[in-house]
Amino acid sequence: MQRLYDFLRRHPTGVDTFWAVLLLGFTSLWVVSTDLFGARQIAAAIFTVGLCLVVALRRKAPVKMLLLTAAIGVGQLIFNIPPNPGDFAMFVITYTVASGTSTARWAARCALAGALVGPALSLVRFGEGPENRQLWESLFFTALLTVPFVLAWVLGDSVRTRRAYWAQLEEKAARLEKEREAQARIAVAAERARIARELHDVVAHNVSVMVVQADGAAYVLDAAPEQTRQALETISGTGRQALAEMRRLLGVLRTGEQAEGGEYVPQPGVEQLTDLIDQVRGAGLPVDFRVEGEPHPLPSSVELTAYRIVQEALTNSRKHGGPDVAATVRLSYRDDDLELLVEDDGRGAQHELYESGGADGLGHGLIGMRERVGMVGGTLIAGPRPGGGFRVSAVLPLKPGR
């Protein structure tokens, strides 16, 4: 049944032609059986074909078919052809012109005028003389003939209004979707630029350490070989870490942003999480902070990513958790990765915050989290937790390429 419905929607002219052929058959029977002769019968046959053509082409050329219908109506009055089954096309074209969203409004007004005037003219032309009918009878029959035409016009105008309303809604939805995608792309670009700037600072700091160690090793090369060996080991480890950071930096597009100032300062890491959580507690959000496993040195990019995730997650808890919300932060050291879990017991976040990229229309916090975790090759899961509240879980690998 659905296939038939889709087929009919794809071939509207074919459907109209089918109804036009049926109308032609009924009207032809009327023309043959009526007492019309000579020129009147020929005119009736021509008008019948014209009215059937109106039904067949009503959606392709509604304005032209309206004008053709008006001409046929005038012709019927002139040739004294009484109302017949073919006049049903007048109802159809009145509805079609009134319901068309692309049809000119003057055509719809002309259709309404025809609906009001046509029945009265038909009654005067083909009805009984006024001497045989009371005034109230004339008004009653005129209204009786006019109401169906007016109802057809009103129904068509209502359909046109509804179609225009739905078209506006669809256009607005499409525009909002495009704006949302554009905002998400802008947020991703801005976050990548920020990540590039921070990684640039981290790599520059590592290179500075290498330069200082190399100068120290050259200075004590002959006097203290053991210190020289330690300095070279430090240079080697720092260089590998800097190389890993540079590999992660590749592919990040940094557009038109200059590093602020000429001094490179290391970015915050896991050691600064205690200060961050104390600051959040001071702002009124209770936070339970736990560290699991044996702490050990981490790559600078992993430390920075962990810090930013905790910072953004706690910010979201304060913004969207509601009153009396409490949060938990768990930092777990593993041999090959660092696990982060930040959750709260508030009312959670809206669906749009953790689906469709995590755009919240303002800070795009979850978009930034996904970009940061993706930069270090980790995984991020964010969404409502069982029992209420919101949860952010991240796994950050310690070795590049995992």
Side-chain angles (χ1 to χ4, degrees):
M1 194 65 185
Q2 184 64 31
R3 292 182 179 179
L4 177 61
Y5 180 71
D6 294 338
F7 175 80
L8 296 179
R9 291 189 61 182
R10 290 195 302 268
H11 302 85
T13 304
V15 176
D16 293 339
T17 302
F18 171 77
W19 293 114
V21 171
L22 288 182
L23 184 63
L24 178 62
F26 285 111
T27 311
S28 298
L29 293 177
W30 176 85
V31 172
V32 173
S33 62
T34 189
D35 56 354
L36 299 177
F37 300 99
R40 293 179 63 197
Q41 190 174 30
I42 296 174
I46 295 175
F47 294 155
T48 297
V49 174
L51 291 173
C52 294
L53 184 64
V54 167
V55 174
L57 301 180
R58 66 185 184 92
R59 280 188 268 201
K60 273 198 170 183
V63 176
K64 294 180 180 179
M65 293 302 102
L66 175 66
L67 298 177
L68 178 60
T69 303
I72 293 175
V74 174
Q76 287 179 339
L77 295 176
I78 295 174
F79 286 91
N80 193 23
I81 298 177
N84 56 82
D87 293 339
F88 179 76
M90 297 180 181
F91 288 97
V92 175
I93 194 61
T94 300
Y95 167 82
T96 302
V97 173
S99 63
T101 55
S102 59
T103 306
R105 295 307 299 160
W106 67 264
R109 296 188 184 98
C110 290
L112 178 60
L116 295 173
V117 176
L121 294 177
S122 177
L123 187 64
V124 172
R125 181 69 173 86
F126 303 108
E128 296 181 356
E131 65 278 0
N132 300 325
R133 188 170 60 241
Q134 298 289 336
L135 177 60
W136 67 269
E137 291 179 342
S138 300
L139 295 177
F140 174 76
F141 283 108
T142 301
L144 190 65
L145 292 176
T146 304
V147 167
F149 285 94
V150 175
L151 288 179
W153 189 91
V154 171
L155 178 61
D157 189 68
S158 300
V159 172
R160 180 195 62 81
T161 303
R162 180 172 292 274
R163 287 175 179 172
Y165 174 72
W166 283 111
Q168 290 180 356
L169 289 182
E170 291 177 355
E171 180 183 359
K172 183 178 180 180
R175 185 172 65 252
L176 291 177
E177 184 66 23
K178 291 180 180 179
E179 291 177 357
R180 182 182 182 85
E181 292 176 357
Q183 290 178 357
R185 288 194 296 268
I186 292 173
V188 169
E191 193 62 33
R192 287 183 176 180
R194 182 181 176 185
I195 294 171
R197 183 172 61 250
E198 292 176 346
L199 288 179
H200 180 272
D201 296 344
V202 171
V203 172
H205 174 73
N206 290 335
V207 173
S208 300
V209 172
M210 293 169 61
V211 172
V212 172
Q213 293 291 334
D215 290 342
Y219 182 76
V220 299
L221 179 60
D222 297 328
E226 185 64 25
Q227 295 181 9
T228 302
R229 183 171 62 255
Q230 293 178 357
L232 292 176
E233 292 176 354
T234 302
I235 292 173
S236 176
T238 306
R240 288 189 177 91
Q241 185 175 355
L243 181 60
E245 306 297 344
M246 288 299 296
R247 287 174 177 170
R248 293 190 179 97
L249 180 60
L250 293 176
V252 179
L253 182 60
R254 190 178 183 185
T255 56
E257 293 195 10
Q258 300 294 333
E260 299 180 1
E263 183 179 359
Y264 297 109
V265 180
Q267 298 295 324
V270 293
E271 295 182 357
Q272 285 73 35
L273 284 178
T274 302
D275 298 333
L276 172 65
I277 291 175
D278 290 339
Q279 180 182 4
V280 173
R281 288 169 177 166
L285 176 64
V287 181
D288 179 19
F289 180 47
R290 291 177 290 171
V291 178
E292 300 178 355
E294 184 67 25
H296 52 77
L298 302 173
S300 302
S301 59
V302 173
E303 290 202 31
L304 176 60
T305 300
Y307 181 89
R308 294 302 187 196
I309 290 176
V310 174
Q311 183 182 43
E312 186 63 39
L314 293 178
T315 300
N316 288 339
S317 296
R318 292 177 55 192
K319 288 172 57 179
H320 308 291
D324 302 327
V325 60
T328 300
V329 178
R330 189 178 70 199
L331 188 68
S332 302
Y333 286 89
R334 302 289 185 260
D335 294 336
D336 297 327
D337 50 46
L338 179 70
E339 296 183 4
L340 272 175
L341 178 64
V342 184
E343 56 184 3
D344 61 62
D345 57 0
R347 61 190 178 192
Q350 298 177 358
H351 185 269
E352 291 82 1
L353 291 179
Y354 53 91
E355 296 290 343
S356 302
D360 60 4
L362 296 174
H364 298 90
L366 289 183
I367 288 181
M369 289 187 193
R370 297 183 196 281
E371 288 298 314
R372 290 181 179 279
V373 173
M375 287 292 298
V376 298
T379 58
L380 176 73
I381 300 176
R385 74 185 186 102
F390 201 79
R391 170 182 294 169
V392 176
S393 176
V395 178
L396 309 177
L398 305 184
K399 295 180 182 180
R402 287 194 68 244

